[in-house]
Every structure is written in structure tokens, then in C-alpha cells.
Amino acid sequence: MAAAAREAALIIEAAQRIEPGNWVQAANAMIARRAAGIPLAYVTGRETFMGLTLLTDEGALVPRAETELLARTAIGLLAGEDRRVIDMCCGSGNLACAIAHHVRHARVWASDLTEGCTSLARRNVAQLGLADRVSVVQGDLFGGLAGMSLEGTIDAVVCNPPYISQGKLATDRAELLKFEPREAFDGGPYGLSIHQRVIRDTLSFLKPEGALMFEIGLGQERQVRALFERSKGYGPVQSVSDADGNARVVWARKAG
């Protein structure tokens, strides 16, 4: 009941914001979209992440509450002045914006493959007043950062990659693709294709002792640890668990 009341309040607020002169009709249309299963954040055009109100759009994944664990881990590691950060697979820009907001003077570069993500990320950066410290680029992983002389200068790379296997997306997780973009979920045959590439390519961008931090899916800790260790470019691998004791963040520092 409380959840339903909260949804109703958010829909009314959104309708009054979008169509103040005809908000009842707008609210009814939003209720119909929500009843069809469309995520609430797409219906209202807003989602909250790390205390920030972000714009949402169907071209990018809706920011999840569980990703705040990665944000908090990164913010804790980045305490200090003049930090330089890359948000890889940035989606709506939620991690980039949260880090820039919470880490004083941090300079952030956010990258994603699709126009839907980078366009929305730029809108979020602008509406939060962070355009002087957050740049958004489009490209295949680090390809969009080529020629920017960032190699060897980065304190941390954060990455919430697609990490669901193609097999699961074809079976028990197929419902994820009904409303949100496939690119946000499809991690290849084993759900680890992007992790492998990012672990390899991040090394040239990090300073010595710089950190690479991933959000991972349930049960992926062992595999992602093995990828870090196999690369031989990182120090001891750390994990961070959620409130239920599940490892959801794995990270390591570049070997000095």
C-alpha cells in the first residue's frame, strides 16, 4: 500500500510538472503506461540516485539503488583534491554525476557506446550544473577517449557494465529487455565480455595505484577476481558486499 501511494504521488507530481494546465489527463495517461508495465522512472522521467534527481529516458538503463554501493565505494576511495575519474559504460551518467557531486574538484570523463546514453548523460550533467567538471563522450569503451591525453593520469575507473549472459537474457531474464535497452544488460556468452576488455584496456589509463571498480552480478565474484588476477596488472583484488552479504563490487589497484 505504501509503495502504491508513493507511485501515485510521483505520477501526480510529474503530471503537474509536465502539463500543469491539464495534469489530470496527463496523470491518467501516465497511470495507463505504468499499468502496462513500463518502469516508473520512464513514466515520470525522473529517478533519484545518491541524493541526486536524474532525468531518465528509454534509451538508457534506469539507475538502480544497488549501484549506489559502487558509487559509495568510489567516493570513499577518491577522498581528496583534484581526482581524475573515468565512468565507463556510463548509461544515464548517474555514477559520473554522483562522483562529481560528492568528490570536491573531481574531474570526470563519462563514456558509453550509444547515442541514447550519451545524450541523456549530457542532459543530466547540464541540469545538475556539472558541465565544467564532467565530459561525456561516445565510443566503444575507451575509444571515445582517444586523443585526449588521459593515459597514465587517471585515479579511478568505475564501470557498471552489462553483465547478464546472453543465455539468461533468452530465458529467465528475458523480461529485462521488454522496456530497457539490450545494450545495458548483454554481457556476452558468459556475462563477462565487457569486464575482460575493460580490465585489459584500463591499465594504460590508470596512474600507478589507480583503481578499477566494477559492479558485478550475483555469483560473479569468483570469475571477475580471476580476470583481474589473470591480467597480472593489478594488486590484491577486493570485494564489497551489500546488506544481504552478496558481493556486488569488485575492485583492484593497478600494480605499482
Side-chain angles (χ1 to χ4, degrees), residues 125-196:
V125 168
Q127 65 105 12
L128 291 169
L130 297 170
D132 60 330
R133 293 192 292 117
V134 181
S135 299
V136 180
V137 300
Q138 184 175 351
D140 183 12
L141 297 182
F142 291 93
L145 300 169
M148 300 179 71
S149 300
L150 297 179
E151 291 83 353
T153 73
I154 299 300
D155 294 288
V157 174
V158 297
C159 184
N160 180 17
Y163 52 68
I164 299 176
S165 70
Q166 291 170 342
K168 287 185 177 180
L169 287 175
T171 54
D172 58 321
R173 304 304 301 277
E175 79 283 352
L176 292 171
L177 304 180
K178 189 172 182 181
F179 298 109
E180 295 181 273
R182 184 181 189 92
E183 295 87 353
F185 300 108
D186 190 342
Y190 304 103
L192 298 169
S193 295
I194 300 301
H195 297 80
Q196 291 175 311

Side-chain angles (χ1 to χ4, degrees), residues 64-109:
R64 266 53 169 184
E66 59 259 33
T67 304
E68 292 191 355
L69 182 62
L70 176 56
R72 291 193 299 272
T73 302
I75 290 164
L77 289 175
L78 289 164
E81 298 287 329
D82 302 320
R83 300 302 191 185
R84 294 163 67 87
V85 183
I86 292 172
D87 176 11
M88 186 53 59
C89 306
C90 70
S92 65
N94 52 309
L95 284 167
C97 290
I99 290 168
H101 176 80
H102 289 284
V103 180
R104 184 175 176 83
H105 302 311
R107 181 73 171 88
V108 185
W109 290 264

Side-chain angles (χ1 to χ4, degrees), residues 6-248:
R6 175 181 174 275
E7 283 202 10
L10 289 171
I11 286 172
I12 291 170
E13 183 277 330
Q16 291 175 334
R17 168 172 42 83
I18 295 168
E19 292 196 46
N22 192 24
W23 70 266
V24 173
Q25 184 174 342
N28 286 333
M30 290 179 180
I31 290 167
R33 294 185 71 212
R34 183 68 181 123
I38 295 172
L40 179 64
Y42 287 161
V43 172
T44 64
R46 298 286 190 275
E47 184 57 274
T48 300
F49 183 82
M50 292 295 292
L52 302 176
T53 299
L54 298 173
L55 306 175
T56 61
D57 188 88
E58 294 182 17
L61 182 75
V62 174
R64 266 53 169 184
E66 59 259 33
T67 304
E68 292 191 355
L69 182 62
L70 176 56
R72 291 193 299 272
T73 302
I75 290 164
L77 289 175
L78 289 164
E81 298 287 329
D82 302 320
R83 300 302 191 185
R84 294 163 67 87
V85 183
I86 292 172
D87 176 11
M88 186 53 59
C89 306
C90 70
S92 65
N94 52 309
L95 284 167
C97 290
I99 290 168
H101 176 80
H102 289 284
V103 180
R104 184 175 176 83
H105 302 311
R107 181 73 171 88
V108 185
W109 290 264
S111 176
D112 209 296
L113 179 64
T114 71
E115 175 66 23
C117 288
T118 55
S119 174
L120 179 60
R122 290 189 183 103
R123 289 167 58 204
N124 276 316
V125 168
Q127 65 105 12
L128 291 169
L130 297 170
D132 60 330
R133 293 192 292 117
V134 181
S135 299
V136 180
V137 300
Q138 184 175 351
D140 183 12
L141 297 182
F142 291 93
L145 300 169
M148 300 179 71
S149 300
L150 297 179
E151 291 83 353
T153 73
I154 299 300
D155 294 288
V157 174
V158 297
C159 184
N160 180 17
Y163 52 68
I164 299 176
S165 70
Q166 291 170 342
K168 287 185 177 180
L169 287 175
T171 54
D172 58 321
R173 304 304 301 277
E175 79 283 352
L176 292 171
L177 304 180
K178 189 172 182 181
F179 298 109
E180 295 181 273
R182 184 181 189 92
E183 295 87 353
F185 300 108
D186 190 342
Y190 304 103
L192 298 169
S193 295
I194 300 301
H195 297 80
Q196 291 175 311
R197 294 177 60 197
V198 171
I199 286 171
R200 179 193 67 206
D201 295 346
T202 289
L203 286 169
S204 64
F205 285 84
L206 289 178
K207 297 176 180 177
E209 300 298 319
L212 169 58
M213 291 168 266
F214 286 113
E215 178 172 306
I216 62 169
L218 293 173
Q220 288 186 326
E221 179 186 7
R222 181 179 60 81
Q223 297 98 315
V224 177
R225 279 180 173 271
L227 292 175
F228 269 114
E229 291 163 357
R230 200 175 302 148
S231 78
K232 302 187 185 304
Y234 297 86
V237 183
Q238 311 291 325
S239 63
V240 184
S241 296
D242 62 17
D244 296 321
N246 299 306
R248 298 305 309 273

